Amino acid sequence: MNLAEIIAPVADDMKAVDAVIRERLNSDVVLIRTVGDYIIGAGGKRMRPALLLMIAGALGYKGTMHHIQAAVVEFIHTSTLLHDDVVDESDMRRGRSTANAVFGNAASVLVGDYLYSRSFEMMVEADTMRIMQVFSQATTIIAEGEVLQLLNVHDPDVSLDRYLQVVRYKTAKLFEASAQVGAIIAGATPQQEEAAAAYGRHVGTAFQLIDDMLDYSGDAEALGKNVGDDLREGKPTLPLIRVMEVGTPEQRQLIQDAIKTGEADFKAVAHAIHETDALEYTRKAAVAEAEKAREALSSFPISAQRESLLKFCSFAVERDR
């Protein structure tokens, strides 16, 4: 399923968002412009801004403030990627070198800080305290998720609940905030706002579960990163947790050692994951989350945007990258 086709109803809005992004990245500090242009130029799916636009459109919004707030979402997301890659010591994202690999860690962290600051400056333009509340809470929870993930690294005793908490904090929260702000901009009822938030929360969780599955099933070219990076970084994701739940003693020991050291035989780990159907287990968990996202939209009026939001649920779990 092609993402561009799914978000076609908001294609013109997405162009407007890109224009806002380019305008607001402009800075007298050359390095900020250089790193910002490099990151934004790397592409990316722009899913979170698209969700905000589609939710607002599905609820009948006709103004332009959603363009600025969608750009806020992209700035928040981009800043987390800059910081993530420094923490994870990553050198490749979206098929090319990370900003920290090109410009160094200091520049990446500081430009990430700039994007955070710029995003808050832009939030104020909505002159709506509710939007400020949602976005500010989201950035706090995302930061907590980053720290929780750091605590989980190289810990083979991470439970399913601890793993899912990181997913909901670190990834799903920004999807949730994007959808919720789209509803707020459209003047939604409290029930519609909660439905939008639930949609974003569940579809964001589904998206991350598939990401974690693809780390062991995709190929590096399709994913735009090194397959097995999560393992090398010692991250206990759902496929590994599942092997430790149902695998043989030998398989469990293999996974425990892999998480502790990040240096295990990747082929052996992949074989254990295959033997325990851990990828299918992860996929089914993602499908269940996507179905909850669909159910959340049941009260939304029929529209092209609502149809796209429903299709996005399928895209989240059927993609190969």
Side-chain angles (χ1 to χ4, degrees):
M1 189 173 295
N2 187 291
L3 182 61
E5 294 175 0
I6 294 173
I7 65 174
V10 294
D12 289 341
D13 289 316
M14 291 294 286
K15 290 178 183 177
V17 172
D18 285 342
V20 172
I21 288 171
R22 287 192 297 272
E23 176 191 350
R24 300 305 178 93
L25 266 178
N26 192 30
S27 169
D28 292 337
V29 180
V30 175
L31 184 58
I32 289 176
R33 292 202 308 271
T34 302
V35 178
D37 288 345
Y38 183 84
I39 293 296
I40 299 300
K45 302 179 183 72
R46 298 273 207 278
M47 293 175 297
R48 297 155 189 83
L51 287 189
L52 188 154
L53 297 172
M54 288 191 290
I55 289 286
L59 294 174
Y61 182 69
K62 300 297 183 184
T64 59
M65 181 51 65
H66 60 333
H67 298 154
I68 294 173
Q69 300 309 314
V72 166
V73 169
E74 190 64 15
F75 279 176
I76 293 172
H77 177 56
T78 303
S79 65
T80 64
L81 297 185
L82 284 165
H83 291 158
D84 264 3
D85 288 339
V86 171
V87 172
D88 295 340
E89 300 179 357
S90 300
D91 58 9
M92 192 168 83
R93 180 181 289 278
R94 296 169 180 166
R96 70 172 188 170
S97 298
T98 55
N100 52 298
V102 176
F103 303 102
N105 287 341
S108 291
V109 170
L110 293 173
V111 173
D113 291 344
Y114 170 83
L115 290 174
Y116 259 137
S117 301
R118 177 64 95 185
S119 69
F120 275 88
E121 191 176 35
M122 293 162 64
M123 284 177 216
V124 177
E125 294 179 30
D127 197 24
T128 302
M129 186 59 70
R130 187 77 182 111
I131 289 176
M132 288 289 294
Q133 287 174 334
V134 171
F135 274 144
S136 58
Q137 181 194 49
T139 55
T140 299
I141 289 176
I142 291 166
E144 288 179 330
E146 297 282 2
V147 176
L148 284 171
Q149 179 170 269
L150 187 64
L151 293 174
N152 287 352
V153 168
H154 297 301
D155 182 358
D157 296 323
V158 169
S159 65
L160 178 60
D161 285 344
R162 276 174 62 190
Y163 161 76
L164 288 175
Q165 184 180 17
V166 169
V167 169
R168 291 185 179 119
Y169 279 30
K170 187 172 177 289
T171 301
K173 190 61 184 180
L174 191 53
F175 279 88
E176 177 183 337
S178 302
Q180 189 171 359
V181 167
I184 294 169
I185 289 173
T189 66
Q191 293 77 16
Q192 288 172 326
E193 183 184 329
E194 175 50 40
Y199 171 85
R201 182 166 60 249
H202 290 302
V203 81
T205 301
F207 192 89
Q208 185 60 53
L209 291 175
I210 293 299
D211 252 14
D212 292 344
M213 184 191 83
L214 289 174
D215 196 60
Y216 297 98
S217 65
D219 61 81
E221 184 177 353
L223 289 170
K225 68 173 185 175
N226 299 313
V227 173
D229 269 357
D230 286 348
L231 179 63
R232 279 182 279 272
E233 293 164 7
K235 294 179 181 177
T237 55
L238 187 53
L240 301 183
I241 292 171
R242 182 60 176 171
V243 175
M244 288 190 287
E245 284 181 342
V246 302
T248 65
E250 293 77 16
Q251 288 171 331
R252 290 198 295 272
Q253 189 63 52
L254 171 70
I255 299 302
Q256 288 175 351
D257 292 343
I259 292 172
K260 285 180 180 178
T261 67
E263 298 176 352
D265 180 351
F266 181 80
K267 289 185 178 179
V269 171
H271 182 70
I273 289 171
H274 174 74
E275 287 294 303
T276 54
D277 278 334
L279 294 184
E280 179 61 15
Y281 176 85
T282 303
R283 190 192 70 81
K284 286 181 177 177
V287 169
E289 289 291 332
E291 186 55 37
K292 290 178 182 177
R294 287 192 186 92
E295 291 171 1
L297 295 181
S298 61
S299 62
F300 274 42
I302 295 173
S303 67
Q305 289 89 345
R306 178 179 180 271
E307 187 62 27
S308 288
L309 289 164
L310 293 171
K311 288 179 180 177
F312 184 75
C313 295
S314 298
F315 170 80
V317 296
E318 293 173 7
R319 64 198 172 88
D320 63 356
R321 64 187 69 195

